[in-house]
Amino acid sequence: MSDIHELTVTVDLREGLSEQQLTELRWHLGLGPQPAHLTVVTDFPCVVVDDGVPRIENEPRPLLAGSGPAWRTTGALCSALAARDGLPGGGWALTSRTEIHPDEAEEVGALLGWIAEHAQDTLRRGDGTVRLGYYRASEDPEPSALESRDGRVNLAEALLPRSR
């Protein structure tokens, strides 16, 4: 079984996102430069070995910025963020298709949780679940629903061994 998962996010976000939040979201989507100060996802732990001694450093990286041909899944990796000007509810339309490794699940889960918090209310079901898109292991023919409920994203729970 492959460690690579396809992640497809399709969601409409509410109006009222700050310019800082939009800048950071664009960076995560690969659509803009890294902001000086991160507020959405702030921890990007990475183990580095210095003189044989491992230590953890914080190395920020965009989380949904895949582009070009997919490495393990078919098709192209891409992201878009468009203003919903003139459409009911306004806000922002977000689409992203990328590949992720389980090692990224915690950080991607934090970003997806933030996205779910800002999703338009029309996407929220009666039990509080927000449908964000789909995910699947590269060899799986059928995707699973990507959902967030009570601040927990099912993708992160599925990929993180300690949450099983």
Side-chain angles (χ1 to χ4, degrees), residues 36-100:
H37 181 67
L38 299 175
T39 60
V40 176
V41 180
T42 58
D43 293 324
F44 298 84
C46 180
V47 176
V48 292
V49 178
D50 188 18
D51 291 329
V53 179
R55 71 176 191 282
I56 297 176
E57 290 187 356
N58 193 31
E59 292 187 7
R61 64 195 177 285
L63 298 170
L64 302 177
S67 65
W71 183 59
R72 292 295 304 262
T73 60
T74 58
L77 307 179
C78 56
S79 292
L81 182 65
R84 291 177 40 87
D85 295 338
L87 295 173
W92 298 89
L94 182 155
T95 298
S96 180
R97 181 176 185 270
T98 194
E99 294 175 324
I100 69 164

Side-chain angles (χ1 to χ4, degrees), residues 13-42 64 81 91-92 94 110-111 113-119:
L13 303 173
R14 294 188 304 267
E15 291 180 317
L17 295 178
S18 71
E19 199 54 45
Q20 167 65 30
Q21 291 170 321
L22 287 169
T23 298
E24 190 168 345
L25 184 56
R26 284 186 187 103
W27 172 65
H28 277 297
L29 296 171
L31 303 174
Q34 179 179 343
H37 181 67
L38 299 175
T39 60
V40 176
V41 180
T42 58
L64 302 177
L81 182 65
W92 298 89
L94 182 155
L111 177 59
W114 180 89
I115 288 171
E117 287 176 21
H118 293 85

